[in-house]
Amino acid sequence: MSNRASRGRTLVAALLAPLMVAACLAATASPASSAPGHHPPGQGSRAEARAALADAQSALAGHGAGPSRDATMALLDLVRLRGSLTGADRAAAARALARPTTTQSTCTADNCYHWNIAGADAVPTADTNTNGVPDYVDTVIATVDGVRDTYVGAGYRAPEADGALGGNAKTDIYLADVGSKSLYGYCTTDKTFPAQPTTFDAWAYCVLDNDYAPDQFPTNTPLENLQVTAAHEYFHAVQFAYDAWEDSWFMEATATWAEDELYDDVNDNLQYLVESPLSKPGRPLDTFTNGAGPQYGDWIFFRFLTEHLPTAAGGMPTLVRDMWRRADGASGGPDDYSMQAVAHVLAARGANLTGAFTSFAAANRMPTRSYAEGAANHYPVAAPGGAFKLSTSKKDSGWKVATVAHLASATARFVPGTGLAASSRRLKVTVDLPPRSTATTAVVTVAKRSGAPQVVRVPLTSTGAGTTKVAFGSSVVKYVEVTLVNAGARYSCWTGGAYSCRGTSKDDGRKLYVRAQVTT
């Protein structure tokens, strides 16, 4: 962890620190919403609650497409909305949220563990320690207790006590054959919220697989799958102690980030990069969808931030911890929604969301150089949105336009062609963006034939116009990319949208223009 952070700090600082600082100077205010408060009014309609019930039942039944982490958020939506259910639907919700039935248990100082020794959910019964506890359960105990100690040692809030549920007030971990339902595991809560809650924290109980057998979990070893699942799901239990109603994309992205902080060598979260901003930069960062959605791949945003702002405590970067402190929906907490929490903590560190997201979009055009593990772990890079070859007979690309969603980007690539070998050749890049107050920016990356790329932020007027010149001779330059960035983070909240504060964006559909001209 410390070595990785050090490598990332050196590499990212060399390439992007000037860009982050410059972008911050032109940044806009923190994310704003049109709705007072940071949580939806009430528990939602009966139709919404029935849809949440169907999603939870589907997640628990398994979808057969490989191991999934989908159940936690599906069950959490049901917890939030079940007060709107009646009759048979309410009884079905109670069954979905019920704790597994077990016959054996043991407790440590902070957690209790429950399992079966017979039936479909039975754990392997080998007990080489002859302590009356199966070896697999001993391994789960050591793993989960270690995860908890790491989080608490890093300054996170411990999961909340649940009264006498599960036998006492400690956090309960159940072992069951969830792999047969294509689940890694899940955490949820059986807390009942009032119709108009004023605090949003909750206790949690978690369910992990009873053996992580390779026929159900073909990627990684059983121990590795246990480790990353325990780290991921227990982080949800920690999150609940701050705000169980927080934005789902933020919950999943930071839990996926946390699992790799604790078990860096497992790299299970690499599977999600195919749906991440690295691979799909045109999709808003804060998108949440049911199933194997982009929220898991969004861990890379928090990796970028913590490599660039690596202050740590207890072996973990403090940046994400401080974001959860800002999101605290317990009594007296700031109760920011996700993107507000991100923006406020960045501001406290001398950066801000517009600058950080601009730097993130630029870094993602060269991930093998921009991330400490980018080369070793083969981080993907998206193809540019368009590639245009310029030559002595075509020195002007004309205006190119991209319609860019909020917290997303689009890239145009310009390639020197026939007659442009001379190193004296230059490329004049002109952009026409919405007014600077809209948090739209542009970054030019010069990919050289040798050495590190050059990264330049296009200086903008208050109206969004900007120009810069960079090297373009084909003898020294392979191509020049212009990344158009929409870092807008304003929302109409609680509209049932897929983004932060379950809202719709006020910044989607920005039209960003770029033009490239060969000069000398």
Side-chain angles (χ1 to χ4, degrees):
M1 168 58 197
S2 59
N3 289 339
R4 180 184 70 200
S6 176
R7 294 196 303 272
R9 181 164 60 249
T10 302
L11 184 58
V12 177
L15 290 172
L16 300 177
L19 173 60
M20 180 174 275
V21 171
C24 285
L25 296 177
T28 60
S30 297
S33 75
S34 61
H38 301 149
H39 287 89
Q43 292 193 340
S45 68
R46 185 182 179 194
E48 291 173 320
R50 294 189 74 181
L53 173 60
D55 286 344
Q57 290 172 325
S58 176
L60 290 175
H63 50 65
S68 163
R69 304 194 192 281
D70 301 341
T72 295
M73 291 302 114
L75 289 169
L76 202 51
D77 272 345
L78 181 58
V79 169
R80 296 162 180 156
L81 294 164
R82 65 173 169 169
S84 298
L85 296 172
T86 60
D89 288 336
R90 177 167 287 193
R95 289 193 297 273
L97 294 168
R99 300 180 180 218
T101 300
T102 56
T103 61
Q104 310 293 315
S105 66
T106 190
C107 296
T108 59
D110 302 294
N111 300 310
C112 285
Y113 299 85
H114 309 269
W115 70 95
N116 289 301
I117 57 174
D121 292 324
V123 302
T125 57
D127 180 16
T128 58
N129 294 326
T130 63
N131 61 355
V133 176
D135 293 347
Y136 178 74
V137 178
D138 282 332
T139 300
V140 171
I141 290 171
T143 301
V144 177
D145 277 10
V147 165
R148 181 196 184 280
D149 290 347
T150 298
Y151 290 151
V152 173
Y156 286 94
R157 185 175 292 167
E160 289 189 355
D162 65 2
L165 298 174
N168 56 38
K170 298 178 181 182
T171 301
D172 294 294
I173 312 298
Y174 296 87
L175 304 181
D177 185 20
V178 293
S180 65
K181 300 174 182 178
S182 297
L183 295 173
Y184 280 102
Y186 61 88
C187 287
T188 192
T189 182
D190 37 15
K191 178 176 179 177
T192 299
F193 287 92
Q196 298 289 338
T198 56
T199 58
F200 303 90
D201 53 309
W203 62 78
Y205 72 85
C206 300
V207 182
L208 303 177
D209 193 66
N210 63 332
D211 58 8
Y212 289 99
D215 60 331
Q216 294 175 340
F217 301 89
T219 304
N220 304 316
T221 68
L223 176 59
E224 288 171 337
N225 282 315
L226 168 63
Q227 289 171 333
V228 294
T229 304
H232 183 108
E233 297 302 336
Y234 207 87
F235 199 72
H236 285 317
V238 169
Q239 292 168 345
F240 292 5
Y242 291 98
D243 189 345
W245 291 53
E246 187 49 77
D247 292 324
S248 297
W249 83 269
F250 184 56
M251 284 186 155
E252 289 295 9
T254 55
T256 308
W257 166 86
E259 70 182 63
D260 200 57
E261 291 298 312
L262 269 65
Y263 297 105
D264 184 34
D265 292 336
V266 177
N267 293 321
D268 186 71
N269 60 352
L270 296 181
Q271 65 179 298
Y272 304 120
L273 291 181
V274 69
E275 292 292 332
S276 76
L278 288 171
S279 301
K280 298 186 177 180
R283 181 167 52 198
L285 170 69
D286 59 344
T287 302
F288 178 84
T289 63
N290 290 326
Q295 57 271 11
Y296 300 102
D298 288 341
W299 70 268
I300 195 65
F301 177 62
F302 296 99
R303 168 59 54 79
F304 172 79
L305 295 180
T306 53
E307 285 193 8
H308 198 85
L309 299 168
T311 300
M316 294 185 70
T318 58
L319 192 77
V320 172
R321 180 202 68 190
D322 291 350
M323 290 172 183
W324 274 101
R325 289 177 174 177
R326 285 292 317 184
D328 186 3
S331 180
D335 199 19
D336 285 355
Y337 65 78
S338 58
M339 203 53 72
Q340 285 180 324
V342 172
H344 281 137
V345 172
L346 288 173
R349 303 294 178 96
N352 62 36
L353 184 57
T354 299
F357 190 79
T358 298
S359 297
F360 175 63
N364 291 346
R365 298 308 306 158
M366 44 185 175
T368 59
R369 287 181 172 271
S370 302
Y371 293 89
E373 296 181 349
N377 287 333
H378 309 290
Y379 284 8
V381 60
F388 311 95
K389 182 170 285 190
L390 301 179
S391 65
T392 52
S393 61
K394 183 177 175 56
K395 294 184 177 181
D396 190 337
S397 71
W399 286 104
K400 307 298 179 183
V401 61
T403 302
V404 184
H406 76 285
L407 295 174
S409 64
T411 296
R413 177 179 291 181
F414 301 98
V415 182
T418 305
L420 300 182
S423 60
S424 60
R425 293 288 188 177
R426 306 278 286 171
L427 189 70
K428 178 183 178 182
V429 175
T430 305
V431 297
D432 185 5
L433 311 181
R436 195 167 60 189
S437 60
T438 62
T440 51
T441 61
V443 181
V444 177
T445 301
V446 182
K448 300 179 180 180
R449 296 201 174 275
S450 62
Q454 177 188 9
V455 181
V456 179
R457 187 180 71 91
V458 180
L460 300 176
T461 67
S462 61
T463 61
T467 300
T468 194
K469 288 185 177 182
V470 295
F472 198 59
S474 62
S475 61
V476 293
V477 173
K478 291 191 289 186
Y479 56 81
V480 171
E481 289 190 340
V482 182
T483 298
L484 305 171
V485 181
N486 180 355
R490 300 175 306 142
Y491 303 91
S492 295
C493 289
W494 324 129
T495 59
Y499 308 125
S500 295
C501 67
R502 297 177 209 170
T504 53
S505 172
K506 296 181 178 182
D507 295 303
D508 277 344
R510 299 286 187 196
K511 292 190 179 298
L512 312 183
Y513 295 83
V514 61
R515 181 181 185 182
Q517 297 166 289
V518 178
T519 67
T520 54

